[in-house]
Amino acid sequence: MDIAIFIFLSSGLFLGWSLGANDAANVFGTAVGSRMIRFTTAALICSVFIILGAVFSGAGAAHGLGELGTLNALPGAFMAAFSAALTVYWMTLARLPVSTTHAVVGAIIGWNWFSGSVTDLSALSTIMSTWIASPILAGVFGALLYKLTVWVLTRAKLHLLRLDSYTRIGLILAGAFGSYTLGANNIGNVMGVFVSSSPFTDFTVGGVTIASVEQLFLVGAIAIAVGVFTYSKGVMMMVGDGLMPLSPVAAWVVVIAQSIVLFLFSSISLEHFLASQGLPTIPLIPVSSSQAVVGAVVGIGLLHGGKGIRWKALGSIATGWVTTPIISALICFVMLFVLQNVFNQTVYHEVRYQLSAPVLAHLEGEGVPSAELSPLQDREIVGGLRFRNRLREVVQLPPEQEDKVIAAAEIHSLLIDAGKFPKLDRAYLSVEQVRALEHLQGRAFAHRWQLYDALASLTPAWRKLENTKINKPFNKLLGQQLDYIFSYFEVTLGAPE
C-alpha cells in the first residue's frame, strides 16, 4: 500500500472511531443508561451490526453525497475528514451527543471557504431545517408512543418479570436494527471520499468475490466498532441518564421514536407513496440520530411536566449542536492553510468558469436571458466566488437564474474513458444507462450539462421527467446517478498557468 494513501486513509479511520465513540449512544444509550442492558453487551451487539450494515448495505452511501461542495483533491478530503473527526472527538470528551453529519457539513463549508468555492445555500438551508425538524418530530413521536405504550401495558397487566424480559428483548432488537442502520448510513461519510482511490483490490474466496469497496468499508466499520468499545460509554450515560432518568419502557420508546424519524427522512418508498397520493413529500435528507434521540427524551419529559429534565445538561447539548459545525469549519480552514503552505500539498484543484457561445445558447434554452451576460462572454474566471462576484457586477439575476448560470459555466473536463468501464458500479445503474455510456466511449465534454444532454438524447433512462411531485423520487435518484457519473469520468485539471 502506498504510504501516502495510508496517511490520507487514516483520517477516515479517525472519523470512524469518533463516530463510534459518539453515535453508539443513539441506539443503545437509553438501554445502558436505564440499566436494562450492560455496556459490554450493548457494545458487542452494536459493533457487530454496524459492521454488517456497512459492508452489506453501505455501498449506496458513497453515491449522491456532496451537494454542499465537491472535495476534488485527496489531501483536502483528508483534512476535511480529520477536522470533522477532531471536532467530534472533542465533543465526545465533553460527553456531549453531537452529530457527525454536523461536523462533516462544517468541514465542507470550511473547504469551500478556503478554496473560494460557492456553497449551495439552498442545500444548506434544507439540511439545517432538518436539524430543527428532527428533534421536534422525535419529541412528538416519543410523547405519543409513550402514552400509547403505557396504555397498552396497563391493560395487558403483565407480570413485572415478564414485562422486564420483554423490554430487554425489545431494546436489544431495536438497538441491533439501529446499529445496522448506523453502519449503512454513515460509512459513506467515513470512507466515501476514499472510494475512488481505494488501496485494496478485488479477490475471490470460495467462489465469492470480495470487492475493493467492501474491503474499504469493512476497515472503516471496524474503526467505528473500536470507537464503540473504547470510548462510547460516557456519551451513552449522558443520553440515557444524564439528560433525564428513564424507565425501561421509556428507554424503548426513545429508540423506536428515533427510528421512525430516521425512516421518514430516508424512505424512498414512503416518498413514492405520498407523491402518488398527491400529498406533500418529506425531503430525503440524512438527519441527526443524536438530535432525534434527545428530542424523544425531552418529549417524554415534557409529557410529565418537564420536572425530570436536567435543563442545564440540555443546554450543554444544544450548545454542542450549534458549535460543532462552526468549530469544524474553522479547524478545516486553518488546517488546509497549513497543509498547503507548510507541507506543499494540493488541497484543492481550482475550478474555471467560462460563458462561451454554447453555454449562452444553453442558458437561453433554460429561460435565462443571455444578452445581459455578453460582457463576460469567453472570459475565463478561476474560482466560484470570483465568478459569482463578476456576474453580479454585470447583472442582477434572481437566485434561481444565478445558480443556473454558475452551474452551466463551470468547466469540467469529462472523458468517457473505455478503460474505466470495468470498475463502473453497474449495480447502481440500469442496463439502459450503461449502454448509453458505452455508446459515448471516447467522447469528451467541457461541461456536465453537455454530457447530460448527450445521455438524455440516447435513452429516457437518463432523461429527467417533468418536475412534479410524483416524478420527484425518480428525478432525485437520477440526479445522484448523474453526480456519480460526472465524478467518475472527470479528468482533474491542473492549476492554471
Side-chain angles (χ1 to χ4, degrees):
M1 180 187 293
D2 188 346
I3 187 64
I5 294 295
F6 176 78
I7 292 173
F8 293 141
L9 189 62
S10 66
S11 68
L13 299 179
F14 182 28
L15 180 58
W17 180 89
S18 299
L19 187 149
N22 198 283
D23 284 20
N26 302 334
V27 290
F28 273 111
T30 53
V32 173
S34 61
R35 309 304 195 273
M36 289 296 290
I37 299 176
R38 296 176 61 185
F39 170 73
T40 52
T41 303
L44 177 62
I45 296 172
C46 186
S47 300
V48 170
F49 280 89
I50 280 175
I51 292 174
L52 292 175
V55 174
F56 293 110
S57 300
H63 301 305
L65 300 178
E67 287 185 346
L68 290 177
T70 303
L71 308 183
N72 58 13
L74 191 57
F78 157 80
M79 192 50 68
F82 180 81
S83 302
L86 188 61
T87 304
V88 174
Y89 172 64
W90 282 346
M91 294 300 176
T92 304
L93 285 178
R95 297 191 171 190
L96 295 176
V98 297
S99 169
T100 305
T101 303
H102 286 202
V104 171
V105 167
I108 292 175
I109 292 174
W111 185 90
N112 287 346
W113 180 20
F114 185 82
S115 64
S117 302
V118 177
T119 298
D120 189 333
L121 296 180
S122 176
L124 179 60
S125 62
T126 302
I127 291 172
M128 292 182 67
S129 69
T130 66
W131 296 354
I132 299 172
S134 62
I136 294 175
L137 282 174
V140 172
F141 286 133
L144 294 176
L145 283 172
Y146 183 77
K147 289 199 70 171
L148 178 61
T149 303
V150 170
W151 181 82
V152 171
L153 292 177
T154 301
R155 278 151 183 76
K157 298 180 180 179
L158 295 174
H159 189 278
L160 287 178
L161 292 178
R162 178 169 293 184
L163 175 61
D164 181 81
S165 176
Y166 287 167
T167 305
R168 289 177 190 273
I169 294 173
L171 285 168
I172 289 174
L173 293 176
F177 176 71
S179 300
Y180 186 93
T181 305
L182 181 66
N185 289 346
N186 285 275
I187 194 64
N189 286 334
V190 173
M191 287 290 162
V193 296
F194 303 104
V195 169
S196 61
S197 57
S198 174
F200 305 106
T201 56
D202 297 357
F203 67 90
T204 302
V205 177
V208 178
T209 300
I210 310 298
S212 167
V213 172
E214 291 177 334
Q215 298 171 55
L216 184 69
F217 284 3
L218 174 61
V219 172
I222 291 174
I224 298 175
V226 171
V228 174
F229 265 101
T230 58
Y231 221 85
S232 68
K233 189 173 183 179
V235 182
M236 280 194 185
M237 296 308 295
M238 167 60 84
V239 170
D241 187 55
L243 183 57
M244 188 185 79
L246 293 173
S247 66
V249 172
W252 178 82
V253 168
V254 166
V255 178
I256 297 300
Q258 174 224 210
S259 301
I260 292 175
V261 171
L262 296 181
F263 171 78
L264 291 176
F265 284 94
S266 60
S267 174
I268 296 177
S269 299
L270 177 62
E271 186 178 46
H272 274 287
F273 173 77
L274 293 175
S276 66
Q277 301 300 315
L279 299 172
T281 58
I282 299 172
L284 300 183
I285 296 174
V287 295
S288 168
S289 55
S290 301
Q291 290 181 315
V293 166
V294 172
V297 172
V298 173
I300 294 174
L302 292 175
L303 194 63
H304 293 91
K307 295 179 181 179
I309 301 175
R310 297 186 175 101
W311 295 103
K312 185 176 181 181
L314 179 60
S316 299
I317 292 173
T319 301
W321 291 347
V322 173
T323 57
T324 292
I326 298 174
I327 293 173
S328 183
L330 292 174
I331 292 175
C332 187
F333 184 90
V334 173
M335 297 302 287
L336 285 172
F337 178 85
V338 173
L339 194 61
Q340 176 177 267
N341 295 283
V342 177
F343 296 96
N344 296 318
Q345 294 293 313
T346 301
V347 297
Y348 69 93
H349 297 289
E350 291 181 318
V351 180
R352 301 176 176 87
Y353 295 80
Q354 187 177 43
L355 289 172
S356 61
V359 172
L360 291 174
H362 171 75
L363 289 171
E364 194 72 39
E366 291 287 312
V368 180
S370 59
E372 297 175 315
L373 303 175
S374 57
L376 293 178
Q377 184 171 354
D378 294 329
R379 288 180 56 187
E380 189 173 289
I381 300 173
V382 177
L385 289 179
R386 290 179 186 173
F387 178 75
R388 189 184 66 182
N389 291 338
R390 297 290 185 277
L391 180 63
R392 289 178 175 177
E393 290 173 1
V394 172
V395 60
Q396 293 297 317
L397 295 172
E400 183 178 347
Q401 290 189 354
E402 182 179 84
D403 291 342
K404 285 183 178 181
V405 173
I406 294 173
E410 187 173 348
I411 298 174
H412 294 273
S413 182
L414 301 163
L415 175 64
I416 310 303
D417 186 355
K420 288 190 172 184
F421 275 83
K423 291 188 176 182
L424 188 68
D425 192 346
R426 296 171 186 265
Y428 188 57
L429 305 174
S430 69
V431 175
E432 292 80 6
Q433 288 175 322
V434 174
R435 286 176 181 169
L437 284 166
E438 291 173 342
H439 187 78
L440 296 177
Q441 284 187 36
R443 291 274 302 275
F445 302 89
H447 303 280
R448 290 184 171 183
W449 59 266
Q450 290 177 328
L451 175 55
Y452 167 74
D453 287 349
L455 289 171
S457 67
L458 293 172
T459 173
W462 280 116
R463 196 177 304 147
K464 291 183 179 180
L465 301 176
E466 183 182 356
N467 191 21
T468 62
K469 287 183 179 179
I470 197 169
N471 294 332
K472 183 178 178 181
F474 174 84
N475 288 338
K476 183 177 180 65
L477 174 60
L478 180 60
Q480 293 174 347
Q481 291 172 327
L482 286 167
D483 286 341
Y484 165 63
I485 291 300
F486 295 152
S487 299
Y488 190 76
F489 288 105
E490 185 158 14
V491 180
T492 302
L493 297 174
E497 299 294 335

